[in-house]
Amino acid sequence: MNKTFDEGYARYLSFLAKLDKTDDIKEKNVLFRQLTEQLSELEKRLNTTNFAPDWDETDTEDSDLTYWI
C-alpha cells in the first residue's frame, strides 16, 4: 500500500458519503467496516510520520526558546 495520506483520506470520505446515501443495512455494515479499516490505516500513517521540524542542534541549546505559531 503505497498510497499517500491524502489519497487514503479521500477514500475515507468516499466511503462516508456512500454510507450517508444508502438505506440498505447490509451495505451500511460493509461500508462501516471499510470506514473503520480506513481510519485504522490513516492512524498508522499519522503515527509513523515524523512531524517534528528539522532544527539545527545549536537552536535547541538556547535557554530562551521561541515558539512560532
Side-chain angles (χ1 to χ4, degrees):
M1 290 187 192
N2 292 333
K3 297 177 189 170
T4 66
F5 181 84
D6 291 337
E7 290 171 333
Y9 186 65
R11 188 171 180 222
Y12 168 80
L13 291 177
S14 171
F15 288 142
L16 194 59
K18 288 178 186 177
L19 183 66
D20 286 340
K21 291 179 184 176
T22 187
D23 291 327
D24 182 26
I25 297 298
K26 288 182 182 180
E27 188 176 355
K28 281 187 182 256
N29 286 336
V30 170
L31 288 168
F32 185 76
R33 275 189 242 122
Q34 289 173 331
L35 280 168
T36 55
E37 189 176 302
Q38 193 65 27
L39 280 175
S40 176
E41 184 180 321
L42 290 171
E43 183 180 23
K44 286 178 191 174
R45 290 183 188 278
L46 284 174
N47 288 336
T48 58
T49 303
N50 183 8
F51 289 108
D54 293 331
W55 289 336
D56 190 14
E57 286 183 20
T58 57
D59 291 343
T60 58
E61 292 175 1
D62 286 341
S63 61
D64 233 352
L65 295 176
T66 303
Y67 294 96
W68 298 94
I69 297 177

